[in-house]
Amino acid sequence: MDAGDILVMQNEINNPEMLLRIASERNLRIVWNPAPMTQEVALCPLNCVSILIMNEVEAGQLAGTQLDPTCLDSIRRTAEVLRKMVPETDLLLTLGKEGSILFSPNPELNEFFVPACNLGKPVDTTAAGDTYLGYLV
C-alpha cells in the first residue's frame, strides 16, 4: 500500500491498535468504524484515523454521553467530547432514520447534515453500516 491509499477498518479484527499504527506510519488514509464498540477502542491511537464513523450508540459509548439521535443539542454535545479526543479527525455519526452528520475540522464542512432517505419499512438491517461505509469510501 502506498501513501494516500485508503484503509477501511472495523473492530471485528485482531489487534486494531497495531494496524492503526502501521497504517499511519505508511501515511494511509484510515476510515474506521469501531463497531462493535469495546473498551479497547479508547486505547487505540484514534488520532491516526482520517474518518471515524459511528452510530449514535457507539458515539455515546466512546464519548461517555447519552446521545439522542433526534436532538441536535445532544448530538453536538457528544461530537464536542469526541472532537476533544480527536481534533483533526472527521467524525461521521450515523443516526439511523434521522440521517447522518459529519463534524469536520475543515471549516468548509464543519457540520454537514445528510437526511436519510425513506425507502419504506426495512426488512433486515444486517450490514447496513457496512454498506453505508463502503459507499462513503
Side-chain angles (χ1 to χ4, degrees):
M1 298 187 85
D2 297 318
D5 285 350
I6 299 172
L7 172 65
V8 177
M9 291 178 50
Q10 295 176 299
N11 199 29
E12 296 175 313
I13 59 172
N14 293 325
N15 208 343
E17 181 179 359
M18 181 182 71
L19 186 54
L20 287 170
R21 290 187 194 286
I22 291 170
S24 179
E25 289 168 6
R26 294 183 181 185
N27 294 313
L28 302 181
R29 294 181 62 212
I30 303 166
V31 180
W32 192 26
N33 178 351
M37 184 61 66
T38 61
Q39 293 177 341
E40 290 76 24
V41 169
L43 303 175
C44 288
L46 299 176
N47 58 322
C48 296
V49 178
S50 303
I51 303 173
L52 187 60
I53 180 171
M54 297 170 283
N55 67 26
E56 70 269 15
V57 174
E58 296 153 356
Q61 289 172 332
L62 185 58
T65 63
Q66 291 291 322
L67 192 155
D68 176 354
T70 64
C71 176
L72 189 55
D73 286 340
S74 170
I75 296 166
R76 285 180 174 148
R77 278 193 302 274
T78 297
E80 185 177 317
V81 171
L82 294 171
R83 171 71 48 234
K84 289 178 183 174
M85 294 170 68
V86 287
E88 299 301 316
T89 298
D90 285 324
L91 301 170
L92 181 58
L93 306 183
T94 60
L95 308 169
K97 67 181 183 177
E98 302 302 323
S100 35
I101 189 164
L102 174 72
F103 293 93
S104 177
N106 178 341
E108 293 178 17
L109 294 174
N110 189 18
E111 188 177 303
F112 187 79
F113 174 74
V114 177
C117 296
N118 184 351
L119 301 175
K121 184 178 178 185
V123 176
D124 184 355
T125 59
T126 302
D130 300 336
T131 303
Y132 182 97
L133 180 58
Y135 273 95
L136 172 73
V137 172

